[in-house]
Coordinates of all heavy atoms in Angstrom, one line a residue:
M1352 N 50.8 -62.5 123.1 CA 50.8 -63.5 122.0 C 52.0 -63.1 121.1 O 52.0 -62.0 120.6 CB 49.5 -63.5 121.3 CG 49.3 -64.5 120.2 SD 47.6 -64.5 119.7 CE 47.7 -65.9 118.6
P1353 N 52.8 -64.0 120.7 CA 54.0 -63.7 119.9 C 53.5 -63.4 118.4 O 52.5 -64.0 118.0 CB 54.9 -64.9 120.0 CG 54.0 -66.0 120.4 CD 52.9 -65.4 121.2
K1354 N 54.3 -62.6 117.8 CA 54.0 -62.3 116.4 C 54.6 -63.4 115.5 O 55.6 -63.9 115.7 CB 54.6 -61.0 116.0 CG 54.0 -59.8 116.7 CD 54.6 -58.5 116.3 CE 54.0 -57.4 117.1 NZ 54.5 -56.1 116.6
R1355 N 53.8 -63.8 114.4 CA 54.3 -64.8 113.5 C 55.4 -64.2 112.6 O 55.3 -63.1 112.2 CB 53.1 -65.3 112.7 CG 52.1 -66.1 113.4 CD 51.1 -66.7 112.5 NE 50.3 -65.6 111.9 CZ 49.5 -65.8 110.9 NH1 49.4 -67.0 110.3 NH2 48.8 -64.8 110.4
I1356 N 56.3 -65.1 112.3 CA 57.4 -64.7 111.3 C 57.3 -65.8 110.2 O 57.4 -67.0 110.5 CB 58.8 -64.7 112.0 CG1 58.8 -63.6 113.1 CG2 59.9 -64.5 111.0 CD1 60.1 -63.6 113.8
L1357 N 57.2 -65.3 109.0 CA 57.2 -66.2 107.8 C 58.4 -65.9 106.9 O 58.9 -64.8 106.9 CB 55.9 -66.0 107.1 CG 54.6 -66.3 107.8 CD1 53.4 -66.0 107.0 CD2 54.5 -67.7 108.3
E1358 N 58.8 -67.0 106.1 CA 59.8 -66.8 105.2 C 59.3 -67.1 103.8 O 58.6 -68.1 103.6 CB 61.0 -67.7 105.5 CG 62.2 -67.5 104.7 CD 63.4 -68.3 105.2 OE1 63.6 -68.4 106.4 OE2 64.2 -68.8 104.3
G1359 N 59.6 -66.2 102.8 CA 59.1 -66.4 101.5 C 59.9 -65.7 100.4 O 61.0 -65.2 100.7
L1360 N 59.4 -65.8 99.2 CA 60.1 -65.2 98.0 C 59.4 -64.0 97.6 O 58.1 -64.0 97.4 CB 60.1 -66.3 96.9 CG 61.0 -66.0 95.7 CD1 62.4 -66.2 96.1 CD2 60.7 -67.1 94.7
V1361 N 60.1 -62.9 97.3 CA 59.5 -61.7 96.8 C 59.1 -61.9 95.3 O 59.9 -62.3 94.5 CB 60.5 -60.5 96.9 CG1 59.8 -59.3 96.2 CG2 60.9 -60.2 98.3
V1362 N 57.8 -61.8 95.0 CA 57.3 -62.0 93.6 C 57.1 -60.6 92.9 O 57.0 -60.6 91.7 CB 56.1 -62.9 93.6 CG1 56.4 -64.3 94.0 CG2 55.0 -62.3 94.4
S1363 N 56.9 -59.6 93.7 CA 56.7 -58.3 93.1 C 57.2 -57.2 94.0 O 57.0 -57.2 95.2 CB 55.2 -58.0 92.8 OG 55.0 -56.7 92.4
D1364 N 57.9 -56.2 93.4 CA 58.3 -55.0 94.2 C 57.9 -53.7 93.5 O 58.5 -52.7 93.7 CB 59.8 -55.0 94.4 CG 60.6 -55.0 93.1 OD1 60.0 -55.3 92.0 OD2 61.8 -54.6 93.1
K1365 N 56.8 -53.8 92.7 CA 56.4 -52.6 91.9 C 55.7 -51.5 92.7 O 55.8 -50.4 92.4 CB 55.4 -53.1 90.8 CG 56.1 -54.0 89.8 CD 55.1 -54.4 88.7 CE 55.6 -55.5 87.9 NZ 56.7 -55.1 87.0
G1366 N 55.1 -51.8 93.9 CA 54.4 -50.8 94.7 C 55.5 -50.0 95.5 O 56.5 -50.5 95.8
D1367 N 55.1 -48.8 95.8 CA 56.0 -47.9 96.6 C 55.9 -48.4 98.0 O 54.8 -48.4 98.6 CB 55.6 -46.5 96.5 CG 56.6 -45.6 97.2 OD1 57.8 -45.9 97.2 OD2 56.1 -44.5 97.7
K1368 N 57.1 -48.8 98.6 CA 57.2 -49.2 100.0 C 56.4 -50.5 100.3 O 56.0 -50.8 101.4 CB 56.7 -48.1 101.0 CG 57.6 -46.9 100.9 CD 57.2 -45.9 102.0 CE 58.1 -44.7 101.9 NZ 57.7 -43.7 103.0
T1369 N 56.2 -51.3 99.2 CA 55.4 -52.5 99.3 C 56.1 -53.6 98.5 O 56.5 -53.4 97.4 CB 53.9 -52.3 98.8 OG1 53.3 -51.3 99.5 CG2 53.1 -53.6 99.0
V1370 N 56.1 -54.8 99.1 CA 56.5 -56.0 98.3 C 55.5 -57.1 98.5 O 54.8 -57.1 99.5 CB 57.9 -56.5 98.8 CG1 59.0 -55.6 98.5 CG2 57.9 -56.8 100.3
V1371 N 55.3 -57.9 97.5 CA 54.4 -59.1 97.6 C 55.3 -60.3 97.8 O 56.2 -60.6 97.0 CB 53.5 -59.2 96.3 CG1 52.6 -60.4 96.4 CG2 52.8 -57.9 96.1
V1372 N 55.0 -61.1 98.8 CA 55.8 -62.2 99.2 C 55.0 -63.5 99.1 O 53.9 -63.5 99.6 CB 56.3 -62.1 100.7 CG1 57.2 -63.2 101.0 CG2 57.1 -60.7 100.9
K1373 N 55.5 -64.5 98.4 CA 54.9 -65.8 98.3 C 55.5 -66.7 99.3 O 56.7 -67.0 99.3 CB 55.0 -66.3 96.9 CG 54.3 -67.6 96.6 CD 54.3 -68.0 95.2 CE 55.3 -69.2 95.0 NZ 55.3 -69.7 93.6
V1374 N 54.6 -67.2 100.2 CA 55.0 -68.1 101.2 C 54.5 -69.5 100.9 O 53.3 -69.7 100.7 CB 54.5 -67.7 102.6 CG1 54.9 -68.7 103.7 CG2 55.1 -66.3 102.9
E1375 N 55.4 -70.5 100.8 CA 54.9 -71.9 100.5 C 55.0 -72.7 101.8 O 55.9 -72.6 102.6 CB 55.8 -72.5 99.5 CG 55.5 -72.1 98.1 CD 56.2 -72.9 97.0 OE1 57.1 -73.6 97.3 OE2 55.8 -72.7 95.8
R1376 N 54.1 -73.6 102.0 CA 54.1 -74.6 103.1 C 53.7 -75.9 102.5 O 53.0 -76.0 101.5 CB 53.3 -74.1 104.3 CG 51.8 -74.0 104.0 CD 51.1 -73.4 105.1 NE 49.7 -73.3 104.8 CZ 48.8 -74.2 105.1 NH1 49.1 -75.3 105.8 NH2 47.5 -74.0 104.8
T1377 N 54.0 -77.0 103.2 CA 53.6 -78.3 102.8 C 52.6 -78.9 103.7 O 52.7 -78.7 105.0 CB 54.8 -79.3 102.7 OG1 55.4 -79.4 104.0 CG2 55.8 -78.9 101.7
V1378 N 51.5 -79.5 103.2 CA 50.5 -80.1 104.0 C 50.2 -81.5 103.4 O 50.5 -81.8 102.3 CB 49.2 -79.3 103.9 CG1 49.4 -77.9 104.6 CG2 48.7 -79.1 102.5
L1379 N 49.6 -82.3 104.3 CA 49.2 -83.7 103.9 C 47.8 -83.7 103.4 O 46.9 -83.2 104.0 CB 49.4 -84.6 105.1 CG 49.3 -86.1 104.8 CD1 50.4 -86.6 103.9 CD2 49.2 -86.9 106.1
H1380 N 47.6 -84.2 102.1 CA 46.3 -84.2 101.6 C 45.4 -85.1 102.4 O 45.8 -86.3 102.7 CB 46.3 -84.7 100.1 CG 45.0 -84.5 99.4 ND1 44.0 -85.3 99.5 CD2 44.7 -83.5 98.5 CE1 43.0 -84.9 98.7 NE2 43.4 -83.8 98.1
P1381 N 44.2 -84.7 102.8 CA 43.4 -85.5 103.7 C 42.9 -86.9 103.2 O 42.8 -87.8 103.9 CB 42.2 -84.6 104.1 CG 42.2 -83.6 103.0 CD 43.6 -83.4 102.5
V1382 N 42.7 -87.0 101.9 CA 42.2 -88.2 101.3 C 43.3 -89.0 100.7 O 43.5 -90.2 100.9 CB 41.1 -87.9 100.2 CG1 40.7 -89.2 99.5 CG2 40.0 -87.2 100.8
M1383 N 44.2 -88.4 99.9 CA 45.2 -89.1 99.1 C 46.5 -89.4 100.0 O 47.3 -90.2 99.6 CB 45.6 -88.4 97.9 CG 44.4 -88.2 96.9 SD 44.8 -87.5 95.3 CE 46.2 -86.5 95.5
K1384 N 46.6 -88.7 101.1 CA 47.7 -88.9 102.0 C 49.0 -88.6 101.4 O 50.1 -89.3 101.6 CB 47.8 -90.3 102.6 CG 46.5 -90.7 103.3 CD 46.2 -89.8 104.5 CE 45.0 -90.4 105.2 NZ 44.2 -89.3 105.9
K1385 N 49.0 -87.6 100.5 CA 50.2 -87.2 99.7 C 50.6 -85.8 100.2 O 49.7 -85.0 100.4 CB 49.9 -87.3 98.2 CG 51.1 -86.9 97.4 CD 50.7 -87.0 95.9 CE 51.9 -86.6 95.0 NZ 51.6 -86.8 93.6
T1386 N 51.9 -85.5 100.3 CA 52.3 -84.2 100.7 C 52.2 -83.3 99.4 O 52.7 -83.6 98.4 CB 53.8 -84.2 101.1 OG1 53.9 -85.2 102.2 CG2 54.2 -82.9 101.6
I1387 N 51.5 -82.1 99.6 CA 51.4 -81.2 98.6 C 51.8 -79.8 99.1 O 51.9 -79.5 100.3 CB 49.9 -81.1 98.1 CG1 49.0 -80.7 99.2 CG2 49.5 -82.3 97.4 CD1 47.5 -80.5 98.8
R1388 N 52.2 -78.9 98.1 CA 52.7 -77.6 98.4 C 51.5 -76.6 98.3 O 50.8 -76.6 97.3 CB 53.8 -77.2 97.5 CG 55.1 -77.8 97.9 CD 56.2 -77.2 97.1 NE 56.0 -77.5 95.6 CZ 56.8 -77.1 94.7 NH1 57.9 -76.6 94.9 NH2 56.5 -77.4 93.4
V1389 N 51.3 -75.8 99.3 CA 50.3 -74.8 99.3 C 51.0 -73.4 99.4 O 51.9 -73.3 100.2 CB 49.3 -75.0 100.4 CG1 48.2 -73.9 100.4 CG2 48.6 -76.3 100.3
S1390 N 50.6 -72.4 98.6 CA 51.3 -71.1 98.7 C 50.2 -70.1 98.9 O 49.1 -70.2 98.5 CB 52.1 -70.8 97.4 OG 51.2 -70.8 96.3
K1391 N 50.7 -69.0 99.5 CA 49.8 -67.8 99.7 C 50.7 -66.6 99.6 O 51.9 -66.6 99.9 CB 49.3 -67.9 101.2 CG 48.3 -66.8 101.5 CD 47.5 -67.0 102.7 CE 46.6 -65.9 103.0 NZ 45.8 -66.1 104.2
R1392 N 50.1 -65.5 99.1 CA 50.8 -64.2 98.8 C 50.4 -63.2 99.9 O 49.2 -63.0 100.2 CB 50.4 -63.7 97.5 CG 51.0 -64.5 96.3 CD 50.4 -64.2 95.0 NE 50.2 -62.8 94.8 CZ 50.7 -62.2 93.7 NH1 51.5 -62.8 92.9 NH2 50.4 -60.9 93.6
Y1393 N 51.4 -62.6 100.5 CA 51.2 -61.5 101.5 C 51.8 -60.2 101.0 O 52.9 -60.2 100.4 CB 51.9 -61.9 102.8 CG 51.4 -63.1 103.4 CD1 51.9 -64.4 103.2 CD2 50.3 -63.1 104.3 CE1 51.5 -65.5 103.8 CE2 49.8 -64.2 104.9 CZ 50.4 -65.4 104.7 OH 49.9 -66.6 105.3
H1394 N 51.1 -59.1 101.2 CA 51.6 -57.8 101.0 C 52.3 -57.3 102.2 O 51.8 -57.3 103.3 CB 50.5 -56.8 100.6 CG 49.9 -57.1 99.3 ND1 50.1 -56.3 98.2 CD2 49.0 -58.1 98.9 CE1 49.4 -56.8 97.2 NE2 48.7 -57.9 97.6
A1395 N 53.6 -56.9 102.1 CA 54.4 -56.5 103.3 C 55.0 -55.1 103.1 O 55.3 -54.7 101.9 CB 55.5 -57.5 103.5
H1396 N 55.1 -54.4 104.2 CA 55.6 -53.0 104.1 C 57.2 -53.1 104.1 O 57.8 -53.7 104.9 CB 55.1 -52.3 105.4 CG 55.5 -50.9 105.4 ND1 55.0 -49.9 104.6 CD2 56.4 -50.2 106.2 CE1 55.5 -48.7 104.8 NE2 56.4 -48.9 105.8
D1397 N 57.7 -52.4 103.1 CA 59.2 -52.3 103.0 C 59.5 -50.8 102.9 O 59.5 -50.2 101.9 CB 59.6 -53.0 101.7 CG 61.1 -52.9 101.4 OD1 61.9 -52.6 102.4 OD2 61.5 -53.2 100.3
E1398 N 59.8 -50.2 104.1 CA 60.0 -48.8 104.2 C 61.0 -48.2 103.3 O 60.8 -47.1 102.7 CB 60.3 -48.4 105.7 CG 60.5 -46.9 106.0 CD 59.1 -46.2 105.8 OE1 58.1 -46.7 106.2 OE2 59.2 -45.0 105.4
T1399 N 62.1 -48.9 103.1 CA 63.3 -48.3 102.3 C 63.4 -48.9 100.9 O 64.3 -48.5 100.2 CB 64.6 -48.6 103.1 OG1 64.7 -50.0 103.3 CG2 64.7 -47.9 104.4
N1400 N 62.4 -49.6 100.5 CA 62.4 -50.2 99.1 C 63.7 -51.0 98.8 O 64.3 -50.9 97.7 CB 62.2 -49.2 98.0 CG 60.7 -48.7 98.0 OD1 59.8 -49.4 98.2 ND2 60.6 -47.4 97.8
D1401 N 64.2 -51.7 99.8 CA 65.5 -52.4 99.7 C 65.4 -53.7 98.9 O 66.3 -54.1 98.2 CB 66.0 -52.8 101.1 CG 66.8 -51.6 101.7 OD1 67.1 -50.7 101.0 OD2 67.0 -51.7 102.9
F1402 N 64.2 -54.4 99.0 CA 64.1 -55.8 98.5 C 63.6 -55.8 97.1 O 62.7 -55.1 96.7 CB 63.3 -56.6 99.4 CG 63.9 -56.7 100.8 CD1 63.5 -55.9 101.8 CD2 64.9 -57.6 101.1 CE1 64.0 -55.9 103.1 CE2 65.4 -57.7 102.3 CZ 65.0 -56.8 103.3
K1403 N 64.2 -56.7 96.2 CA 63.8 -56.8 94.8 C 63.2 -58.2 94.6 O 63.4 -59.1 95.4 CB 65.0 -56.6 93.9 CG 65.7 -55.2 94.1 CD 64.8 -54.1 93.8 CE 65.4 -52.8 94.2 NZ 64.4 -51.7 94.3
A1404 N 62.5 -58.3 93.5 CA 61.9 -59.6 93.1 C 62.9 -60.7 93.0 O 64.0 -60.5 92.5 CB 61.1 -59.4 91.8
G1405 N 62.6 -61.9 93.5 CA 63.5 -63.0 93.5 C 64.3 -63.2 94.8 O 64.9 -64.3 94.9
E1406 N 64.2 -62.3 95.7 CA 65.0 -62.4 96.9 C 64.2 -63.2 97.9 O 62.9 -63.1 98.0 CB 65.3 -61.0 97.5 CG 66.3 -60.2 96.8 CD 66.7 -59.0 97.5 OE1 67.2 -59.1 98.6 OE2 66.5 -57.9 96.9
K1407 N 64.9 -63.9 98.8 CA 64.2 -64.7 99.9 C 64.3 -63.8 101.1 O 65.4 -63.3 101.5 CB 65.0 -66.0 100.1 CG 64.2 -67.0 100.9 CD 64.8 -68.4 100.7 CE 63.9 -69.4 101.2 NZ 63.0 -70.1 100.2
I1408 N 63.1 -63.5 101.8 CA 63.1 -62.6 102.9 C 62.2 -63.2 104.0 O 61.5 -64.1 103.8 CB 62.5 -61.2 102.5 CG1 61.1 -61.3 102.0 CG2 63.4 -60.5 101.5 CD1 60.4 -59.9 101.9
R1409 N 62.2 -62.5 105.2 CA 61.4 -62.9 106.3 C 60.5 -61.7 106.6 O 60.9 -60.5 106.5 CB 62.2 -63.2 107.5 CG 63.0 -64.5 107.3 CD 64.0 -64.7 108.4 NE 63.4 -64.5 109.7 CZ 64.0 -64.8 110.8 NH1 65.2 -65.3 110.8 NH2 63.4 -64.5 112.0
I1410 N 59.2 -62.0 106.9 CA 58.2 -61.0 107.3 C 57.6 -61.3 108.6 O 57.6 -62.4 109.1 CB 57.1 -60.9 106.2 CG1 56.4 -62.2 106.0 CG2 57.7 -60.4 104.9 CD1 55.2 -62.1 105.0
I1411 N 57.2 -60.2 109.3 CA 56.6 -60.3 110.7 C 55.3 -59.6 110.7 O 55.1 -58.6 110.0 CB 57.6 -59.8 111.7 CG1 57.1 -60.1 113.1 CG2 57.8 -58.3 111.5 CD1 58.1 -59.8 114.2
E1412 N 54.3 -60.1 111.5 CA 53.0 -59.5 111.7 C 53.2 -58.1 112.3 O 54.0 -57.9 113.1 CB 52.1 -60.4 112.6 CG 51.4 -61.5 111.9 CD 50.5 -62.2 112.9 OE1 50.9 -62.5 114.0 OE2 49.4 -62.5 112.5
C1413 N 52.3 -57.2 111.9 CA 52.2 -55.9 112.5 C 50.8 -55.4 112.5 O 49.9 -56.0 112.0 CB 53.2 -54.9 111.8 SG 52.6 -54.6 110.1
A1414 N 50.6 -54.2 113.1 CA 49.3 -53.6 113.0 C 49.0 -53.2 111.6 O 50.0 -52.9 110.8 CB 49.3 -52.3 113.9
P1415 N 47.8 -53.2 111.1 CA 47.5 -52.8 109.7 C 48.0 -51.5 109.3 O 47.8 -50.5 110.0 CB 45.9 -52.8 109.7 CG 45.5 -53.7 110.8 CD 46.6 -53.5 111.9
K1416 N 48.7 -51.5 108.2 CA 49.3 -50.3 107.6 C 48.4 -49.7 106.5 O 48.5 -48.5 106.2 CB 50.7 -50.5 107.2 CG 51.6 -50.9 108.3 CD 53.1 -50.6 108.0 CE 54.0 -51.0 109.1 NZ 54.0 -50.1 110.2
S1417 N 47.7 -50.6 105.9 CA 46.7 -50.2 104.8 C 45.7 -51.3 104.7 O 45.7 -52.3 105.5 CB 47.5 -50.0 103.5 OG 48.0 -51.2 103.0
K1418 N 44.9 -51.3 103.6 CA 43.9 -52.3 103.5 C 44.4 -53.7 103.3 O 43.9 -54.6 103.9 CB 43.1 -51.9 102.2 CG 41.9 -52.9 101.9 CD 41.2 -52.5 100.6 CE 40.2 -53.5 100.2 NZ 39.5 -53.2 99.0
L1419 N 45.5 -53.9 102.6 CA 46.1 -55.2 102.4 C 47.3 -55.5 103.3 O 47.7 -56.6 103.5 CB 46.5 -55.3 100.9 CG 45.4 -55.3 99.9 CD1 45.9 -55.4 98.5 CD2 44.4 -56.5 100.2
K1420 N 48.0 -54.4 103.7 CA 49.3 -54.7 104.4 C 49.2 -54.8 105.9 O 48.9 -53.8 106.6 CB 50.3 -53.5 104.1 CG 50.8 -53.5 102.7 CD 52.0 -52.6 102.5 CE 51.7 -51.2 102.7 NZ 52.8 -50.3 102.4
T1421 N 49.4 -56.0 106.4 CA 49.5 -56.3 107.9 C 50.8 -57.0 108.2 O 50.8 -57.6 109.3 CB 48.3 -57.1 108.3 OG1 48.2 -58.3 107.6 CG2 47.0 -56.3 108.1
W1422 N 51.8 -56.9 107.3 CA 53.1 -57.5 107.6 C 54.1 -56.5 107.3 O 54.0 -55.6 106.5 CB 53.2 -58.8 106.6 CG 52.3 -59.9 106.9 CD1 51.0 -60.0 106.5 CD2 52.5 -61.0 107.7 NE1 50.4 -61.1 107.0 CE2 51.3 -61.8 107.7 CE3 53.6 -61.5 108.5 CZ2 51.2 -63.0 108.4 CZ3 53.5 -62.7 109.1 CH2 52.3 -63.4 109.1
E1423 N 55.3 -56.7 108.0 CA 56.5 -55.9 107.7 C 57.6 -56.7 107.3 O 57.7 -57.9 107.8 CB 56.9 -55.1 109.0 CG 56.0 -54.0 109.4 CD 56.5 -53.3 110.6 OE1 57.2 -53.9 111.4 OE2 56.1 -52.1 110.8
V1424 N 58.5 -56.2 106.5 CA 59.8 -57.0 106.2 C 60.8 -56.8 107.3 O 61.0 -55.7 107.8 CB 60.4 -56.4 104.9 CG1 61.7 -57.0 104.6 CG2 59.4 -56.6 103.7
L1425 N 61.4 -57.9 107.7 CA 62.4 -57.9 108.7 C 63.7 -57.5 108.0 O 64.0 -57.9 106.9 CB 62.6 -59.3 109.4 CG 61.6 -59.7 110.4 CD1 61.8 -61.1 110.8 CD2 61.6 -58.8 111.6
P1426 N 64.5 -56.6 108.7 CA 65.8 -56.2 108.0 C 66.7 -57.3 107.8 O 66.7 -58.4 108.5 CB 66.3 -55.1 109.0 CG 65.6 -55.4 110.3 CD 64.3 -56.0 110.0
R1427 N 67.7 -57.1 106.9 CA 68.7 -58.2 106.6 C 69.5 -58.4 107.8 O 69.9 -57.4 108.5 CB 69.5 -57.8 105.4 CG 68.8 -57.8 104.1 CD 69.8 -57.6 103.0 NE 69.2 -57.7 101.7 CZ 68.8 -56.7 101.0 NH1 68.9 -55.5 101.4 NH2 68.2 -57.0 99.8
E1428 N 70.0 -59.6 108.0 CA 70.8 -59.9 109.2 C 72.3 -59.6 108.8 O 72.7 -59.9 107.7 CB 70.7 -61.4 109.6 CG 69.3 -61.8 110.0 CD 69.2 -63.3 110.1 OE1 70.1 -64.1 109.8 OE2 68.1 -63.7 110.5
A1429 N 73.0 -59.0 109.8 CA 74.4 -58.7 109.6 C 75.2 -60.0 109.7 O 75.1 -60.8 110.6 CB 74.9 -57.7 110.6
N1430 N 76.1 -60.2 108.7 CA 76.9 -61.4 108.7 C 78.3 -61.2 109.3 O 78.9 -60.2 109.2 CB 77.1 -61.9 107.2 CG 75.7 -62.5 106.7 OD1 74.9 -62.9 107.5 ND2 75.6 -62.4 105.4

């Protein structure tokens, strides 16, 4: 089974080797039939503490690293 990759915005980098990423998606409201934005926050492992608040990053599923962390930050792509 392939691992999920999500893209989101770093909202907190205060933890050591941890970033909190807010991922937004759009869904259709079942009754009003209007598109709404739904967001969820994920704790991701950032081994080198590279990423700061406000950056757009990608995260991938991994084996649990702690109680809350089951995601890892993907490294920056070389341009």
Side-chain angles (χ1 to χ4, degrees):
M1352 185 170 184
K1354 295 181 179 184
R1355 291 186 295 167
I1356 296 177
L1357 301 176
E1358 189 171 321
L1360 191 69
V1361 176
V1362 292
S1363 173
D1364 61 340
K1365 294 181 192 292
D1367 186 32
K1368 297 185 181 181
T1369 303
V1370 291
V1371 180
V1372 182
K1373 184 170 105 175
V1374 176
E1375 282 191 348
R1376 62 189 181 94
T1377 58
V1378 294
L1379 191 65
H1380 192 280
V1382 175
M1383 299 188 332
K1384 305 299 184 207
K1385 180 178 180 179
T1386 304
I1387 56 174
R1388 284 187 300 184
V1389 178
S1390 62
K1391 186 169 179 181
R1392 291 163 42 119
Y1393 296 94
H1394 291 253
H1396 184 69
D1397 178 16
E1398 183 66 37
T1399 54
N1400 288 322
D1401 278 342
F1402 299 97
K1403 302 298 174 201
E1406 290 186 59
K1407 200 162 188 98
I1408 63 169
R1409 293 172 43 172
I1410 56 176
I1411 188 168
E1412 275 184 314
C1413 67
K1416 299 203 179 281
S1417 69
K1418 179 180 175 181
L1419 296 175
K1420 289 196 293 187
T1421 57
W1422 295 83
E1423 287 180 337
V1424 173
L1425 284 174
R1427 289 187 174 101
E1428 298 171 356
N1430 292 332

